[in-house]
Amino acid sequence: TKRTETEVRESSSILEESGEEKDIMKIALTFDDGPSKYTSRLSEGLKKKGVSATFFLLGANVEKYPEEGKKLAEDGHLLGNHSYSHVQLNNIPLKKAYQEIIKTNNLIYETTGEYPQYVRPPFGEWSSQLEKQVEMFPVFWNLDSLDWKVKNTEKIVKTVTDQTKEGSIILMHDGYETSVEAA
């Protein structure tokens, strides 16, 4: 059913305690490369704020930090696949790329009881051949926080708040304390 502009506007606003409407921007907050030693802390912080995020997990890190991966699922976050070893999937043989994804899917399932439906290819590099082999949705981003590079909480916050707009898919990483603080 097609909704009117007013219905859309009303469904994306909330009433503040003062009774005034406040528009809510629809964005996606995503974290790559986890889980890590900071993941549980990040998940708790997001949960306290009522925020759900998407975590694209590395298979090697799921093996290293299984409890953190399990906590993400328990806290209601969406889990996706980020390959097993963070390789550029379109630069390795198709069979090896497929194995990177399947091995990680299986590890995520063993840890959380759910198979991921989404994959974020490392470096944003994806091949149409791999897409035909893997029945998952590739997910990219349109706002890179550069948290892995700057490792400065205030700069990360500024980058994200200055550039975020309706529909932003924000790329962050949960392996850095500064990223967790910024989130």
Side-chain angles (χ1 to χ4, degrees):
T1 313
K2 190 173 182 178
R3 297 179 357 176
T4 68
E5 186 177 321
T6 304
E7 289 172 323
V8 171
R9 198 175 322 108
E10 287 173 357
S11 69
S12 43
S13 63
I14 61 171
L15 288 177
E16 294 183 349
E17 287 180 27
S18 66
E20 295 177 28
E21 283 192 11
K22 180 181 178 184
D23 287 337
I24 297 176
M25 190 181 310
K26 291 176 185 66
I27 61 169
L29 183 58
T30 68
F31 295 90
D32 286 5
D33 297 351
S36 77
K37 63 184 181 180
Y38 302 113
T39 302
S40 291
R41 184 171 144 217
L42 173 60
S43 186
E44 270 303 309
L46 293 171
K47 185 178 174 183
K48 285 179 185 175
K49 300 247 183 223
V51 174
S52 294
T54 303
F55 288 80
F56 291 97
L57 307 178
L58 290 173
N61 286 346
V62 172
E63 286 180 328
K64 189 173 181 180
Y65 299 102
E67 289 305 311
E68 287 78 356
K70 187 175 181 180
K71 180 162 180 42
L72 289 172
E74 289 169 355
D75 287 349
H77 300 291
L78 182 64
L79 304 182
N81 185 321
H82 196 47
S83 80
Y84 181 81
S85 59
H86 206 276
V87 293
Q88 192 167 330
L89 296 169
N90 65 339
N91 277 352
I92 60 175
L94 183 61
K95 184 176 181 179
K96 184 168 170 42
Y98 180 76
Q99 290 170 343
E100 284 269 334
I101 292 171
I102 295 305
K103 184 175 183 178
T104 301
N105 280 350
N106 290 334
L107 286 165
I108 292 170
Y109 176 76
E110 290 166 12
T111 303
T112 68
E114 294 181 31
Y115 277 104
Q117 296 179 355
Y118 303 95
V119 61
R120 172 168 285 160
F123 312 103
E125 298 293 335
W126 189 242
S127 78
S128 58
Q129 288 180 324
L130 189 55
E131 190 163 349
K132 292 174 188 172
Q133 296 289 315
V134 178
E135 293 184 13
M136 299 175 77
F137 299 100
V139 178
F140 301 93
W141 61 91
N142 56 20
L143 195 166
D144 189 347
S145 70
L146 299 175
D147 59 337
W148 61 272
K149 186 176 183 179
V150 299
K151 296 180 185 167
N152 177 295
T153 302
E154 291 77 25
K155 287 183 181 179
I156 297 166
V157 169
K158 182 166 178 31
T159 297
V160 172
T161 55
D162 286 354
Q163 295 179 30
T164 298
K165 59 185 179 197
E166 180 75 23
S168 289
I169 301 171
I170 302 165
L171 169 62
M172 294 183 75
H173 299 79
D174 62 324
Y176 305 102
E177 190 169 16
T178 51
S179 300
V180 172
E181 290 295 321

